[in-house]
């Protein structure tokens, strides 16, 4: 069975500080990987997606970047946090082929920027 | 790009009654429509989905209807229980490169009272 692990579970950071969030998926080779962001009480917005190692596509510009250094790892980062970065960050994966649209979310990281 | 409208934003029902959530989309090329349930502090979990080659799908008390002509789809929860209380998100797929992008509705907060 596939498992997706996100870290950390929660972060409280100062404006202007750097950030790195991670996601690892086990039990699935070459998955599509995604980063989503959710404001408190809000909808889910896709930030990045990756279909293979080293290849990441940006969907919205939020002064964030993403990288896929390994097949099973997806990293979200920024060098300078803004207040607007607060929210719930969700990593997700989807299988290849005809079920490529089905997303399975990790447990998320709750980020508070002060 | 695709846009998804979801109504109502808040829904309160009595235990044992039915609850209905409606979504509409704009892109006639969308062919996959999942529904996610999100409990407070948790990640969204896929509860049911439907593809464009179907008009109706049922899993236990969950029924999804799809009207491709009208570009509308809906979730119906029969015999609601307090455990059904949560945020519900509909989504429609949009192709992007080698993967698909899910566009989510704004969410419906369902409260089932006993």
């Amino acid at each position: 069975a596939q498992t997706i692990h996100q870290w950390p579970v929660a972060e409280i950071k100062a404006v202007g500080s750097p950030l790195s969030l991670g996601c690892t998926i086990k039990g699935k080779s070459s998955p599509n990987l995604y980063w989503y962001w959710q404001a408190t009480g809000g909808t889910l917005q896709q930030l990045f997606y990756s279909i293979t190692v080293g290849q990441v596509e940006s969907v919205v510009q939020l002064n964030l970047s993403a990288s896929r250094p390994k097949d099973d790892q997806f990293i979200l980062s920024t060098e300078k946090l803004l207040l607007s970065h607060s929210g719930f960050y969700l990593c997700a994966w989807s299988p290849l082929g005809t079920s490529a649209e089905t997303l399975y979310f990790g447990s998320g990281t709750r980020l508070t920027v002060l | 790009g695709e846009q998804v409208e979801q109504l109502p934003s808040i829904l309160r029902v009595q235990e044992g009654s039915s609850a209905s959530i409606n979504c509409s989309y704009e892109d006639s090329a969308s062919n996959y429509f999942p529904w996610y349930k999100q409990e407070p502090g948790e990640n969204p979990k896929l509860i049911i989905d439907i593809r464009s080659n179907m008009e109706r799908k049922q899993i236990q008390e969950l029924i999804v209807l799809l009207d491709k002509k009208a570009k509308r789809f809906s979730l119906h929860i029969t015999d609601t229980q307090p455990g059904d209380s949560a945020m519900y998100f509909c989504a429609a797929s949009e192709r992007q490169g080698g993967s698909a992008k899910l566009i989510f509705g704004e969410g419906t907060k369902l409260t089932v009272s006993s």
Side-chain angles (χ1 to χ4, degrees):
Chain A
Q2 303 82 17
T3 58
I4 181 167
H5 174 60
Q6 276 190 250
W7 73 92
V9 172
E11 279 268 46
I12 299 175
K13 304 278 279 187
V15 169
S17 63
L19 175 77
S20 181
L21 304 180
C23 169
T24 298
I25 176 163
K26 298 298 182 188
K28 189 70 183 175
S29 62
S30 303
N32 292 334
L33 294 176
Y34 308 81
W35 279 110
Y36 274 78
W37 175 76
Q38 185 179 34
T40 302
T43 190
L44 299 143
Q45 183 173 26
Q46 189 182 94
L47 301 177
F48 299 94
Y49 71 94
S50 170
I51 61 173
T52 191
V53 174
Q55 187 177 330
V56 177
E57 301 295 330
S58 172
V59 177
V60 292
Q61 288 297 325
L62 284 179
N63 292 308
L64 295 167
S65 60
S67 64
R68 187 168 179 178
K70 302 179 191 177
D71 185 54
D72 64 352
Q73 197 173 75
F74 207 18
I75 307 295
L76 182 72
S77 60
T78 183
E79 293 186 3
K80 232 176 191 182
L81 278 166
L82 307 172
L83 283 174
S84 57
H85 286 138
S86 291
F88 197 34
Y89 287 85
L90 292 151
C91 181
W93 71 274
S94 69
L96 302 176
T98 55
S99 298
E101 304 99 328
T102 304
L103 289 187
Y104 300 95
F105 288 95
S107 53
T109 295
R110 189 156 306 277
L111 174 66
T112 304
V113 182
L114 302 173
Chain B
E2 177 67 285
Q3 292 199 48
V4 176
E5 184 178 15
Q6 181 174 348
L7 291 169
S9 54
I10 297 173
L11 181 58
R12 296 188 181 96
V13 300
Q14 286 288 118
E15 181 179 357
S17 66
S18 296
S20 296
I21 303 171
N22 300 293
C23 291
S24 61
Y25 61 100
E26 295 186 354
D27 188 354
S28 55
S30 291
N31 60 4
Y32 176 67
F33 308 91
W35 287 87
Y36 286 82
K37 176 183 180 182
Q38 185 177 28
E39 304 196 52
E42 301 283 315
N43 57 349
K45 293 177 175 63
L46 178 70
I47 54 173
I48 192 169
D49 56 12
I50 190 167
R51 294 193 179 273
S52 57
N53 59 351
M54 299 176 70
E55 294 178 348
R56 184 182 191 277
K57 184 174 180 178
Q58 181 168 1
I59 298 176
Q60 296 179 329
E61 80 280 6
L62 304 176
I63 300 171
V64 173
L65 301 176
L66 173 62
D67 182 344
K68 285 177 292 184
K69 216 177 216 180
K71 295 182 194 171
R72 285 201 287 254
F73 57 113
S74 56
L75 172 69
H76 305 272
I77 307 173
T78 61
D79 189 25
T80 53
Q81 301 298 312
D84 293 324
S85 297
M87 281 293 289
Y88 290 81
F89 292 95
C90 64
S93 67
E94 179 182 74
R95 296 299 300 186
Q96 62 179 5
S99 74
K101 176 179 178 180
L102 285 185
I103 308 299
F104 286 85
E106 292 296 314
T108 297
K109 183 176 181 181
L110 172 64
T111 303
V112 180
S113 52
S114 53

